[in-house]
Amino acid sequence: CFIQLFQMDILNSRKTSDIANQRTRQRVLEAAVEVFTEHGFRKATVRDICKRANANIAAINYHFRDKEGLYTAVLQYAHQCACEKYPPQLGLGSDATLEQRLLAFVRSLLLRIFDEGRHAWHGKLMSREMFEPTSALDALVENNIRPLAQQLESIVSGLLGTRTNSELVRLCTMSIVSQCVFYHHARPVINRLYPNQKYNTRDVEQLADHITRFSLGALKEFRKQVETTKK
């Protein structure tokens, strides 16, 4: 009985330690998201992150290896949070049409880009990463962005028809994404050209509808050209 109690105490201690470690990791991760969002990767310091997380520097070494490892985890965590809040299909069923799937994809992308509040890390971090890319972008693209790109490519390919080619699918996919990110990256110019342009939920919905209709019109025309050429 004594041995069993001793073993149970060891197991309970390990569980308590694991829970404490996970809580520390989460505190460091969320503090790092805020610091990296505010200052960028190069200006952010491990000391500031640990101070905000109420943790010691050893916690970063233990959980993330180093500052670069932490930043890689931060980018993926922010992207994951954004996609959980605004998933690409936005709750559509398996019977949704390609047109509905395209609208949902565009809406979700815009909502992630223009999200506000405490968890609006994704758009800000990605803006910094576009201007000052780091090695962490490689992992983010492979693990998070490429699967989304493949979803959009599948939608575009379906709308273009079976006679299309991969290069046209790629170009059309990038054109749709470009329309979405333009409104974010060019906001300083857009705000000066059109001071009344806002990006609240209603405006984002209207913008998503416009980009989708504009894209569907272009895809329809491309499909006609492809089918005519291959007759």
Side-chain angles (χ1 to χ4, degrees), residues 159-179:
L159 290 167
L160 287 172
T162 56
R163 295 187 177 185
T164 192
N165 59 76
S166 59
E167 179 65 8
L168 182 57
V169 172
R170 183 185 69 84
L171 289 172
C172 290
T173 299
M174 290 298 97
S175 292
I176 294 170
V177 173
S178 296
Q179 291 179 77

Side-chain angles (χ1 to χ4, degrees), residues 14-216:
R14 287 177 178 174
K15 288 180 181 179
T16 302
S17 177
D18 289 343
I19 292 172
N21 282 334
Q22 287 303 313
R23 287 176 177 172
T24 299
R25 185 185 188 279
Q26 189 64 23
R27 287 204 317 274
V28 170
L29 189 60
E30 298 216 8
V33 169
E34 295 174 355
V35 174
F36 284 130
T37 300
E38 293 169 11
H39 303 291
F41 171 71
R42 291 170 178 82
K43 292 184 179 180
T45 67
V46 169
R47 187 178 300 277
D48 286 342
I49 293 169
C50 290
K51 181 178 180 181
R52 192 172 300 198
N54 191 26
N56 57 52
I57 295 176
I60 291 180
N61 297 330
Y62 178 79
H63 292 288
F64 304 100
R65 192 181 66 254
D66 54 23
K67 181 182 174 182
E68 289 186 1
L70 175 58
Y71 184 65
T72 299
V74 159
L75 282 185
Q76 296 192 43
Y77 176 64
H79 190 276
Q80 178 185 342
C81 288
C83 286
E84 287 177 354
K85 187 174 182 180
Y86 303 114
Q89 296 181 352
L90 289 179
L92 288 178
S94 58
D95 59 342
T97 65
L98 290 171
E99 290 80 6
Q100 290 172 328
R101 289 171 59 195
L102 179 60
L103 176 58
F105 192 99
V106 170
R107 282 183 62 220
S108 67
L109 177 55
L110 289 171
L111 288 168
R112 292 196 296 272
I113 290 174
F114 291 108
D115 194 18
E116 298 291 342
R118 181 174 178 270
H119 287 166
W121 305 310
H122 176 60
K124 296 175 182 177
L125 283 169
M126 288 307 298
S127 292
R128 288 185 176 276
E129 196 63 20
M130 291 303 99
F131 287 105
E132 292 185 293
T134 68
S135 59
L137 186 59
D138 296 333
L140 182 68
V141 169
E142 287 305 313
N143 297 329
N144 304 86
I145 296 177
R146 189 178 298 282
L148 290 178
Q150 290 171 341
Q151 286 185 41
L152 182 55
E153 287 172 359
S154 176
I155 296 170
V156 170
S157 179
L159 290 167
L160 287 172
T162 56
R163 295 187 177 185
T164 192
N165 59 76
S166 59
E167 179 65 8
L168 182 57
V169 172
R170 183 185 69 84
L171 289 172
C172 290
T173 299
M174 290 298 97
S175 292
I176 294 170
V177 173
S178 296
Q179 291 179 77
C180 298
V181 299
F182 167 80
Y183 286 91
H184 186 270
H185 295 336
R187 281 182 81 173
V189 174
I190 294 174
N191 290 340
R192 287 164 174 77
L193 287 173
Y194 309 104
N196 293 327
Q197 174 69 62
K198 306 297 180 185
Y199 296 99
N200 55 36
T201 302
R202 179 183 176 185
D203 293 309
V204 169
E205 294 290 343
Q206 291 177 341
L207 188 56
D209 183 64
H210 166 73
I211 291 174
T212 301
R213 288 190 293 112
F214 190 90
S215 301
L216 286 172

